[in-house]
Amino acid sequence: MTGRLLAISDLHVSYQENREIVEQLKPTDDGDWLIVAGDVGEKVADVRWVLRTLRERFANVIWVPGNHELWTTRDDPDQSRGEERFQRLVAMARNLGVVTPEDPYPVWDGEGGPVIVAPLFVLYDYSWWPAGTSSTEEAMATAQAAGIVGTDEVLLHFDPYSGRDAWCRARVEQTEPRLEAAAAELPTVLVNHFPLVRHPTDVLRYPEFALWCGTDLTAEWPTRFRAREVVYGHLHIPRTTWQDGVRHQEVSVGYPREWSRRATPPGRLVPVLER
């Protein structure tokens, strides 16, 4: 297989500047695959536009939802919520020929392969407590006292589950058997919008925000499921870190006010599995 396995996330095309970045994204080879690790936008129509545009250009596109895709905003004609919204997004992506977390995991046979690329939809369960707290209730109270409350608390509905944490646990239970089977076959590349391990959140300006960033339930997944690499976004802090011999790549674009301060131009497609 020719081409490269590339990744990007947090395109946030509600901003015109970011929409222009998407318009300029192109493969380097006809065989390039592109991972899109969530937070394309808030409106279903915007998500459709981005995925359609990229699928027309790349040999394969693999998408996972971020929290922003799952928001139900007042100005979106599609007012679906929770699990129904997720399934609508999956159906839309499938119709475009885009691989989703609900589809069979594809095998990348190019450079660094063969590996199974596993797109995941795992939320968070408020288990990444700030230092000095010893319960979720105390952690949430500490965050609120610091003025840190995720917008998800208003816009990311969790129907029909009892909470976002319950939805997270359900997704973990659904996903683990699939990853067990995949890892028995080949090494993996794990793709999730949220980091799968906590260490990337250590650099957050507001450490309380880690509550909305992941779950302890996935801490062992990179080693347990033979990950060659983990690709994620959400934090808007693009960088590469290592833990237990596994490379973790945060591949987000972020908001214009963030990327405009960086030395590197926005919209860089990050190579996966290349050393």
Side-chain angles (χ1 to χ4, degrees), residues 12 93 102 139 152 159 188:
H12 292 292
E102 304 298 87
D152 292 0
D159 322 30
T188 65

Side-chain angles (χ1 to χ4, degrees), residues 135-147:
S135 69
T136 299
E137 292 73 22
E138 185 182 2
M140 292 293 283
T142 297
Q144 290 171 2

Side-chain angles (χ1 to χ4, degrees), residues 43-212:
K43 295 182 180 179
V44 171
D46 283 344
V47 179
R48 181 185 297 109
W49 174 77
V50 171
L51 295 183
R52 182 178 64 241
T53 298
L54 297 176
R55 186 64 186 89
E56 289 172 351
R57 299 174 183 175
F58 289 84
N60 200 7
V61 173
I62 299 165
W63 164 82
V64 300
N67 52 313
H68 281 241
E69 280 100 333
L70 298 172
W71 285 3
T72 304
T73 59
R74 291 181 179 179
D75 58 349
D76 189 350
D78 190 323
Q79 289 290 295
S80 57
R81 299 160 48 122
E83 176 71 20
E84 179 190 3
R85 188 172 187 86
F86 170 59
Q87 293 298 339
R88 285 195 186 189
L89 289 165
V90 165
M92 178 265 291
R94 283 174 168 168
N95 287 338
L96 296 171
V98 171
V99 180
T100 81
E102 304 298 87
D103 295 314
Y105 299 149
V107 175
W108 167 256
D109 281 323
E111 182 175 351
V115 297
I116 290 174
V117 182
L120 312 174
F121 170 43
V122 182
L123 282 158
Y124 50 83
D125 62 359
Y126 309 104
S127 57
W128 290 355
W129 303 336
T133 60
S134 57
S135 69
T136 299
E137 292 73 22
E138 185 182 2
M140 292 293 283
T142 297
Q144 290 171 2
I148 307 300
V149 179
T151 306
D152 292 0
E153 296 299 310
V154 177
L155 297 179
L156 200 165
H157 302 282
F158 43 80
D159 322 30
Y161 298 92
S162 60
R164 297 169 198 87
D165 53 346
W167 196 1
C168 173
R169 289 191 293 270
R171 291 300 307 181
V172 167
E173 291 173 4
Q174 294 168 34
T175 303
E176 282 186 325
R178 297 186 64 197
L179 289 179
E180 290 273 14
E185 188 176 333
L186 285 171
T188 65
V189 170
L190 302 181
V191 181
N192 192 50
H193 177 65
F194 304 93
L196 294 179
V197 296
R198 184 169 181 172
H199 84 262
T201 69
D202 291 344
V203 297
L204 288 174
R205 179 178 299 178
Y206 303 105
E208 298 85 359
F209 185 67
L211 284 164
W212 292 272

